[in-house]
Amino acid sequence: MVLRTLIVDDEPVARRVLREELAEIPGIDLIGEADGGARAIAMIGEQEPDLVLLDLQMPEVGGFDVIRQIGNG
C-alpha cells in the first residue's frame, strides 16, 4: 500500500526535514507541499491525499481551520 502524502507547514525548514524523513520510509508517495492553510485546503480538495502532515500553528489559516474547512466539504 502506498500512502499519498501532503506536507503542510509555513516553515520551509520544517517542510524540508519532513520531506527528507519521508523519503526514507517505504510506501510514502509525497504528492506535494503547502506553505499555508489556504493552499492546503485547495490541494486537499484537488489531490485527495491519504495522509496530511499538518502544522497546527500557521498565520492566517491554521491547521484547525483547515480541519474545520475540509470537514464541511
Side-chain angles (χ1 to χ4, degrees):
M1 177 179 189
V2 175
L3 289 175
R4 299 174 64 253
T5 304
L6 175 67
I7 295 172
V8 182
D9 200 306
D10 61 315
E11 298 180 31
V13 173
R15 290 194 312 272
R16 179 181 51 81
V17 169
L18 283 170
R19 183 174 53 248
E20 290 171 357
E21 292 294 324
L22 290 173
E24 302 291 324
I25 302 172
I28 296 290
D29 178 18
L30 183 59
I31 61 170
E33 298 179 18
D35 61 1
R39 181 72 185 126
I41 292 166
M43 290 180 77
I44 291 167
E46 293 165 3
Q47 298 185 14
E48 299 181 352
D50 301 311
L51 175 65
V52 178
L53 300 176
L54 179 62
D55 183 8
L56 296 179
Q57 295 182 351
M58 295 182 288
E60 298 178 27
V61 181
F64 287 114
D65 298 318
V66 171
I67 293 167
R68 281 190 286 271
Q69 184 69 25
I70 64 172
N72 293 327

